[in-house]
Amino acid sequence: MTEITDLAALRRAMAENAEQPEGPARNARAEQLLGAAEGLRVPLAVIEALGHQLSVYNYSSEKDKMFVPFARLLRLWDERPGDFDAYETHSLHWVFKWMSAGMLDQPHIPLASIEKWLGEMERRYRLAGYSERAVRGAEFSVATHVGDLARAERAYAAWLAADRDEMADCHACELYGQGLWQVERGRDEAALTAWRPVLAGEFGCAHEPHSVLAASLVPLLRLGRAKEARAHHLRGLRLVRPMESMRAAYAEHVEFCALTGNEARGLELLAERPAYFTDTGQPRSRLDFLAVVTLLTDRLTELGLGGERVPGPAGRAWTARDLAAHARTQALALAERFDARNGTSYVGDRTRARMARRPLVDRLALGVRTPRTAPAAPAAAPPSAPAAETSLPALLAEAHRLADTLRPEAVDAWAAVARAAGDGELAPADRASVADHEAMSRGPEGAELFERAAGLYAAAGDPGEALAARARGAYFRALRGEPDPALARVTALAEEVRALYAAEVTGVRQTASVLMSRARILMHRARTGAGPARDADAAVREVPALIEGHGARDAGDARLAARVAESWGMLAELAGAAGDGAGAAELLRRAVAEYVRAGVPWCAVEYEVQIAALAEQAGDGEGAERALRAALEHGGRYVEPAGQVQLHLRIADLTAERGAVAAAAEHALQAAHRADEAGESGTSGAWARQRLGGYLLRQGRCAEAAEVLESALADLRAGTHGDEAVVQARWWLGDCLEELGEHRAAAEQRLLAADIARHWPEQRDHATLAHLAADSLGGAGLVAEADRAYARAGELWRALGDTRLLVRSLRARAWLAPREDSGTAAAEGLMAEAVEVCERALENAADARALGGLTRELAQTHRQFGDLLAQAGDPAGAHFERAITLFASLGPAALHDRTAAELAAAELASELGHPGEATARAHAVLAAYENADEADETVRARRAQAARLLGTAG
């Protein structure tokens, strides 16, 4: 540890400590620095060290420690105000506000003491000449905390009416408090209106928009704006997660999870911050946290998960039920201490109301991996029915209804009939249906069961249905690997059913069923190459010819309509196999229309997916998207979650291709959600999150994208998803983190991606990632590491023959050299190498486009070379002149670059005492923009700079 020998060293050490993460380690260092300051025997050093200590305590879980340094500071001020400079005088008065809030947070401090302190704050602010705004804001906080709403209304009005001065909180913090008051008064919409400038980034500070994002979650949910709430959760959680002092805001994110069916994610958040259960430095935020823990664990217990293990205070294992009881007891005890201090029941009432909140959304998709804690809520059911409806006759009626309308639940319904009937008597026809549906449920392994069903149908006096059951058995035998016997069997059955139909012994439905089984077997043979397509074609056409020729299709029988639709689908398959894509698509559309007309749209899903594939082959992305959307709409709840995942992912790809990125993100979000529901979080769910992260990044929603991509990377595996998917996710995440200012983390992701890409045959991605990693390392202040990464990238650009990017890597290294203490000579050598590489490439440029690009790059290099030399105090004019000449050769396209170089040269000339040259260059810039568009911001800036130079030179 560097020894503190003077005030400058102390200030450097305090600045370094201020940059450290919030927490006990930073606090302990501040205490050490106070000791060092006292050893300097400089009053201002002690004052500044006390202020630093007070600040780190305030932004930590040890807020209760800040009263001691403040009391000491105040005593020093009262005794020797002359020891305080202007900054420390301002700071002392500023932290009066922290003391007011801090006292409210500590239930052992009497309310009378807080009121007395409020008066002291008012007196001292008046003596210092400050506005009442901060004082009335503090009074408002006291009134709202104790539940004196009438006083709070008066203080709120006085707060806003007072002038804003240098003691007023920043705009962002003030708007946060104003919005909270609107929520308190039941005006959610007004709160969000108040917070809008903070959420839009117009105002911000160290704790904003962090607190506003957290506070907005429940109001947004209550207003039905769940998508915005989700975005605020992902964005806000990322901001508060590393900040120890933001326990109350963190609790609001846990609460959001408990109220949106994301209990599992809520538990993950509890596990991330175990110290929040026990940190006692700020009792009020601990109360908030414990109340939310109670809400979450009560919810788990209500869902039947009270015995599940959950994260809790260290030292023992916790079940949800145990933690709920513990957190409730602790929270109510804390609330009682506040109420006893305040003389009201307000804090306890609010705490109990918060713990009793009910979910506002059944299950909100978040995009990050969030397994469901409880089963999905069932679809709305009719009111409770009398027990008679579960009787055997009721079950039979329901089974017939479901079978006649082709509902997928029919198989289960007939199984329920069988269970209810037991050994009791069923009519032969019903026993036949039970056997028939059991056979269907077993697939190819149930082929023999169809014979039993056929015997029962025959016994029931329905020979046509008996033949249909045997035909189904034949088809299942074909699927089982017995195509030839199956064909012989079904051909004989078809002859029998035709004879029965001609004799009017059976109907169209039974006959069509047998003929459809024969068509299916012939289609199976055609697919496997065991039979000609023409035989399948003829057999398929026989089915709709029979049904439509006798008007049976219009009788409202869903089964017959389905036979016709399936026929068109088979003919479409044959057309596609013959190369007639347009014909296949038309037949598939006919099949879909038939299913929809018959009231069984869920049967059309497979055909709509096929239509989409044909549309894509034909280059009709919009047509493919329409078909896939129809598949989702028509399939509804009958499409399994895994199928919904694939449909949403494909739609996302198609919508993104046409530039509708927001719509693509919504479909990727739904795909991720459905994957979690289907238990496929680690497979298709990772794919969906990877794409969702990319779409969010394209919209500039970097914080949300980072959360989603980090979640995706937890599951993305090269063996499952491919190297490319992993590299792309890390690449996107690096871009997000760079945009968020997390340079070191961005560099890590880019280096990890580069390490994978270095094994690829094509090295452009490897080079790009190495270059981007160097940018991030430089941004993180890791100069030596950045230089090595740029050097690595430069070698790759050289091998790839990309002069432009090689030159940029050399320039970047040149700018790093002085920061690395390599000296000006090293920097100049790298710039000179960049010039040489560029000039050599210009000599060999093959076309005008390459010539123009390299000329611009050479001009930029000379311009930067000049800047580098000017900063070092070395002659730079020749490089500026060369840059100006090169930019001028590129014409109007490089006008702004030329004038920038001209002005840089003018500034240098002015600094070197050459006013004539500076004036001439400034006039040249004004002349270049003589007829330029005044609305162009760059034009205005260049003219203003030139005018300033002329004024200086004059």
Side-chain angles (χ1 to χ4, degrees), residues 238 690 693-694 697 702-714 726-740 742 745-750 752-753 769 776:
R238 188 166 196 87
Q690 190 246 28
L697 173 59
C702 294
E704 297 168 65
E707 285 290 305
V708 170
L709 289 166
E710 286 172 348
S711 181
L713 282 164
V726 178
V727 167
Q728 185 63 81
R730 293 200 182 281
W731 193 327
W732 282 334
L733 179 55
D735 291 348
C736 292
L737 296 170
E738 186 71 16
E739 187 66 27
L740 294 169
E742 299 177 38
E748 180 183 359
Q749 293 301 324
R750 288 167 166 178
L752 287 169
L769 286 162
S776 297

Side-chain angles (χ1 to χ4, degrees), residues 13 98 176 232 325 465 487-488 518 600 625-626 640 653 676 682 711 811 861 864 900 920 954:
W98 294 359
Y176 169 62
H232 287 196
E465 202 61 65
L487 178 58
R518 180 170 181 270
V600 288
E625 186 183 334
R626 280 195 304 274
E640 292 292 327
D653 289 343
D676 289 342
S711 181
R811 291 201 306 249
T861 304
Q864 291 191 34

Side-chain angles (χ1 to χ4, degrees), residues 3 49 95 272 325 775 950:
E3 185 179 358
V95 297
E272 287 183 20
D775 292 343
L950 288 173

Side-chain angles (χ1 to χ4, degrees), residues 536-555:
D537 184 277
V540 171
R541 291 182 185 278
E542 192 175 356
V543 177
L546 168 72
I547 296 169
E548 294 177 340
H550 293 79
R553 176 171 170 268
D554 299 322

Side-chain angles (χ1 to χ4, degrees), residues 266-354:
L267 292 176
E268 290 173 358
L269 300 188
L270 295 188
E272 287 183 20
R273 301 310 297 256
Y276 277 173
F277 287 97
T278 53
D279 285 343
T280 59
Q282 190 188 26
R284 186 152 55 152
S285 73
R286 183 165 181 253
L287 171 59
D288 290 332
F289 184 75
L290 291 169
V292 166
V293 171
T294 306
L295 171 68
L296 175 64
T297 47
D298 274 351
R299 176 67 181 152
L300 290 167
T301 303
E302 181 183 331
L303 293 170
L305 301 169
E308 294 294 310
R309 290 283 297 275
V310 296
R316 59 164 286 188
W318 294 92
T319 65
R321 187 180 297 106
D322 291 341
L323 184 58
H326 171 80
R328 177 179 289 101
T329 300
Q330 294 279 311
L332 291 177
L334 265 175
E336 185 177 346
R337 288 178 61 200
F338 278 109
D339 284 342
R341 187 269 303 274
N342 299 338
T344 69
S345 64
Y346 191 69
V347 173
D349 293 343
R350 285 171 55 84
T351 300
R352 281 183 284 272
R354 189 173 197 178

